[in-house]
Amino acid sequence: HAMAASAYALLASAAAEEGAGEAQWLRLRRAFEEEPLVCLPGGGGGSGARAARWLRSKACMWHDIPSDIEIDIVGLEAHFGASLKDFFVEVLGVPEIDVAEAGARLAAVATGTAAAASEGGQQPLGAAYCSLARLLVEDNDAAAHGPPHRGRLQTSTKEALRSALGKAIWLPGAAAALGAEVCCFLAANSRGGCAPMVAGRHNLGAHFEGPELHHFFVDFLGVACELCPAEGLEALRALRDGPQHLDAGQIKSTASAIFVALARACGTRAADAEDLREVLAEEALLPVPSPQTPFTSSSTNIRWLLASSVVWEDVPASVEAQRASLAAYFHEELRSFFVEHMHVDEIDAAEVRARLGLLTEACRGCPGEATEEALLGGYRQVERFCRGEELRRPRGARGRGVLFGGLGELGTVLLPGGRGLVPMDRCAFLQGGDTAGLAALVGVEDVGAAFPELRHCFLDCMGLRDSLTAEECLAALRSLRDRSSTASESTKIEQLAASAYALFGGAVGRSPRLVDVSITFEEEPLIFVPDAASGSLAGGRWFLSTDCMWHDRPFSESERAVASLERRWPIALRETFIEVLGVRAWKAAEVASRLDALFWSEGDVSLFAKAYAQIYHAYRERKLVGIQFHDPELLKELRDRVFVPGLGFKPHDECIWREPPAAKASVGLSLGHRRNDLSQVYGMLEDSEVVEDLREYFIDWLGVRNTLTTEECLEALRQVKASKGALHEEVRPLYLELARVLGQQRPGPAEGEPNIDAVAKAFREDNLICIPTVDGKAGRWLSSDECIWKLPDMVPEGWSSVRVALAPCFGDQDVAFDDDAVASLRAFFTQRLGVPLSVHFAEERKGVEIVALPEGQPYWLFLPTDGKKMVPLSQESMAPKPRARREMVGGASYGSPAEGQEATLDGASALPPQVAAALATSGREQEDEELHSEQLVSDGADGGPPGGDERHPKSDKEPLGAAGADDDDDGADGVGGVGAAAEVTGATTPRRDCSGDRLRGGHAGSGCSLERRPERCGRGTSSSPPTSTTTLPASRK
């Protein structure tokens, strides 16, 4: 045999090589079919060994299934390795399995004519079917997951095997085979015991076990595993009404198998579930053993009940009141069938209460270890359901507490340790390591100390209280107070007092009794204050609530007059002390005393910064919780104690926290005697988080200003103007500061602040706009009427400016401060001070409608071109010319200065042209202004046309400013969009108007009249009559 196996291996290698001729291998296959060339070893050993057998290939198959049996065909798998399978099957044509041989072997095993080995506890026939099932499963897995191989069963072989085995299903000891159509496979939940006949079918599940055989018979051979409702009901009635030859265990197993089959059918057909549910509600077809009796060998112990007489869960176990439990007798996989499809209650609160009542009565009438353990087991089962550990559909623990809420009717609770049944009114479920000792002081049994894991059972279901009453807590505290507070007792008193204070929250809360409780603590010393040092022999003392405060801020090694609780008690008790017991979060006098002590101890800035930060942290923690931080007394003490190095405590209104960019240089020189800049004291600390906390403490809570007042800004500007050698960089921050302050006001007087128009008046009268020199020093100081924000890019030929442009000096970028405020110098000069935004040129038109400008809106100068050609603005045009008498038309100057009127000023040659000209002209007599006419045009809120598409007419066909309608508010091309215009007919003389009216102008003479119409100008002129007339005096200031 060994030599033959070697020869077969050589032939297999040759067959695997390329180039092997097909005709050659056909001759080889024919030779093995005609001659006995397959060698099998003989049996036995020694002198009694049999000779090897030689067989033709037609008398062989590869798989030896079932094994150890041979009828007509021999299996080669047991004699040759797997490496020769392809040679025998693919080359020689040996079938993998012979269908007829497999059927003959199964029949021989079933009838007992041949002996076969058992496997895994299966009887021989079951083991034979298992080997066939394993072969098919392995082949299907290979087909699904593995690559194709030549050893796989062919489809024709599978179909032939399915057909042959389906027609001849053998049962152990049977004389004849059965067809698949007369069989069913209803598996029992336990080994054996299932009825062999169910609904007139042979139940294979009574003879074969395991998922392998279930898959083989059901999926491969097509044996039914489901029952329609009619068949299932027929099978149940047969179990109930049939001859009593089945024991109780077989009835249980058979019923379980039937319910499993019905569950599969109900899962796919909802109508079947409804029909079956109606029958089970009207007919007793649910087998359940008698109370206190397990399934025994006698079928007389079985009860058949309606669906309304059963419940699924068995809580508490081992006892039954009115309804039987199915979970104790049927497998968990049937829960869904009974609960969801048959609408059997998953759990019944009334049944649970009744069962616990029976166990309670048993403990009362016949106390003993067994009955007490059964009742405690019932408590634990209820807890598991409340926690959602056993119910199929989880619900909240509180919802399950409502389900079992009636358990309070039991009236008593079983406690271990020989205490027996205790009335519920003497019980409480307290939590915490020291609550048991606290409850013992007032004669209350703490169930939580005995059963800490059964919280939901006793609180949610039985309704035990989780706190002591306010009277009980007060009694416990008085009892603790009367004890001797020695070092050995101090720790215990502290623990019990902490439990008592914690229970006050649940006992009182925010009920009307809250005031009564707080008054009690004001009148009796019931606040225990342990020594701050852990393990101190001093113990502790009892205080009134009025002698305590919660926060230990600022921290002090020794309290002054009030005991701080923050360092003695956990943070969880904070709200109890403050809201329930009436302890103040802070005592203003104590805080002030601690700050004073820090001052007299010569504390430096870092110590005060730490103290203020501690105070602010406490404020931030509690500002949304209580209102004590808005106590005027506390706020006054803190506002009066702002520490400034070298000066001591200063009131908050004498301090300021400057936000960069700030005019520190000028303000430090001029206003230092009135305001102390805290940003120079506390803003220079290294820790940025502490600096931010202190900034919010001073500004947001104490109300320290972070800006100068408008009067201070104006005074600072006047002082810088009066000083010699001042730098322009000292002026710009003041403008930003003033812009920031005015940007937070609305037009009109504000409380504590001057009117915005009064600020604009000061700039017009006091010449507070500084024009820098080349070297950065403050040059000339001009009035707002002598300035313009930006000159136009396109001007009439020969035109020159009589105003100084501010945009080149101050820039056009917004400046952000630390408090997210934004200041814009352009908006400050144009919207607040009335400096024109730019110049708009157009052909002169008579009778243009005049409208009033809204407050706070920038405006443009409206000047006629007088037919001149528009050219780009040159440096010569940008430089303001000396104010000499010359021909003026509509505010524009043409031609050269008169002879002898050239501008002269020492040092002016070193300045930029426009600045030098401004310095020369600003000092001359302002009577030359009477020669100019300024017609003002509203620019809208953002420098664009406020009237949308409404524009001042340039001609009958073309609207004025059409070329620049889409430009920005700076009027880059010299022709800005115009939404409203103001024009005075005839020769006009401009007047300086101190009232802030931006429509200035009038007829020459002793006075002038200004007509205002509310309508905006459109195309053409308006014929509306004037609505109001304002007369301006002819004389100047």
Side-chain angles (χ1 to χ4, degrees), residues 45 123 151 199 251 352 378 494 526 534 553 570 604 624 645 656 658 674 729 860 863 884 966 984 1018-1019:
Q123 40 86 14
I251 293 177
V352 173
E494 180 181 352
L526 295 176
S534 177
R553 320 279 181 89
D604 56 7
L624 298 179
I656 189 172
R658 302 302 308 281
R674 288 195 298 169
E729 289 302 322
W860 294 54
L863 300 178
D966 296 331
V984 180
R1019 295 183 179 274

Side-chain angles (χ1 to χ4, degrees), residues 537-559:
L537 298 178
R541 293 180 298 167
W542 294 83
F543 288 84
L544 299 173
S545 62
T546 55
D547 296 333
C548 304
M549 72 177 188
W550 173 258
H551 287 293
D552 191 20
R553 320 279 181 89
F555 177 78
S556 177
E557 292 293 342
S558 60
E559 291 104 345

Side-chain angles (χ1 to χ4, degrees), residues 844-847 850 862-864 886-892 927-936 982-992 999-1011 1032 1034:
E844 184 177 5
R845 293 290 298 269
K846 303 286 186 176
I850 303 174
F862 176 78
L863 300 178
R886 55 188 117 151
E887 297 295 332
M888 308 295 295
V889 181
E927 62 184 3
D928 294 339
E929 292 178 354
E930 299 176 357
L931 303 177
H932 298 275
S933 173
E934 297 179 351
Q935 299 176 355
L936 313 179
E983 180 177 343
V984 180
T985 307
T988 59
T989 302
R991 299 290 181 183
R992 178 171 294 193
L999 290 178
R1000 299 185 295 275
H1003 294 282
S1006 61
C1008 63
S1009 63
L1010 180 64
E1011 293 184 350
L1032 304 179

Side-chain angles (χ1 to χ4, degrees), residues 123 134 289 369 487 605 648 735 907 1012:
Q123 40 86 14
R134 218 171 279 122
E369 183 178 353
V605 173
Y735 291 150
R1012 298 182 178 179

Side-chain angles (χ1 to χ4, degrees), residues 46-69:
S47 59
R50 296 191 301 270
R53 292 186 299 166
W54 293 86
L55 303 174
R56 293 184 177 87
S57 60
K58 292 181 178 181
C60 302
M61 64 180 183
W62 177 253
H63 291 292
D64 190 19
I65 297 177
S67 59
D68 299 335
I69 301 175

